[in-house]
Amino acid sequence: MCPGVDALLEQARAGLRRLTPHETVEAVRGGALLIDTRTEAQRREEGELPGAIVIDRTVLEWRLDPASAWRIPEATGYDREVIVVCREGYSSSLAAASLQTLGLRQATDMVGGVQGWREAGLPMSDRPADVRY
């Protein structure tokens, strides 16, 4: 019998030191990459995160693996801190765990996702998203 998605999420989070929205702001100030995996429709509805790089979940590993021919320039090493953000903080946990399996030891996600960011009273960006394909 399969353990189900709740068990998968629990397993993923067991290997993460998840950050609060305020800790995320500080980590980004310190050089961490903030990766937004929300869809275009979600970003249009909820707004853009300041300083985030938007990467579709379907290509996330290829864009962040420093050894990949399809990586983004910011994917400079396996020790780079990466914080994945989604709408509510669920799929981002699974994505961060996948990045850790890939070798990105400091990959994690943000508790509560963008909804948690907004609830913490942090500002959204009025600039266009930095979308990477």
Side-chain angles (χ1 to χ4, degrees):
M1 187 164 136
C2 293
V5 71
D6 290 335
L8 181 64
L9 183 63
E10 183 179 335
Q11 180 182 10
R13 287 181 172 170
L16 303 175
R17 189 186 82 72
R18 303 180 75 216
L19 302 180
T20 67
H22 289 287
E23 289 172 329
T24 297
V25 169
E26 290 305 313
V28 170
R29 284 187 186 139
L33 290 179
L34 183 61
I35 306 297
D36 187 347
T37 61
R38 291 176 300 147
T39 65
E40 183 179 349
Q42 289 171 335
R43 294 191 336 270
R44 189 174 38 247
E45 179 183 321
E46 299 162 354
E48 302 292 348
L49 284 175
I53 297 171
V54 176
I55 299 177
D56 190 273
R57 179 63 189 96
T58 61
V59 295
L60 185 69
E61 289 82 358
W62 286 269
R63 299 300 178 261
L64 293 177
D65 181 356
S68 170
W70 300 280
R71 72 185 178 278
I72 61 172
E74 294 86 352
T76 55
Y78 290 102
D79 58 345
R80 183 80 195 253
E81 186 175 9
V82 175
I83 305 161
V84 184
V85 180
C86 66
R87 187 176 201 174
E88 296 179 339
Y90 293 96
S91 66
S92 59
S93 294
L94 299 177
S98 177
L99 292 174
Q100 282 191 354
T101 300
L102 188 66
L104 293 162
R105 296 174 293 278
Q106 294 194 66
T108 191
D109 76 325
M110 186 175 75
V111 176
V114 172
Q115 289 183 0
W117 178 280
R118 294 176 68 99
E119 289 169 7
L122 293 169
M124 300 301 287
S125 178
D126 58 359
R127 303 179 77 177
D130 181 2
V131 179
R132 309 292 179 90
Y133 295 101

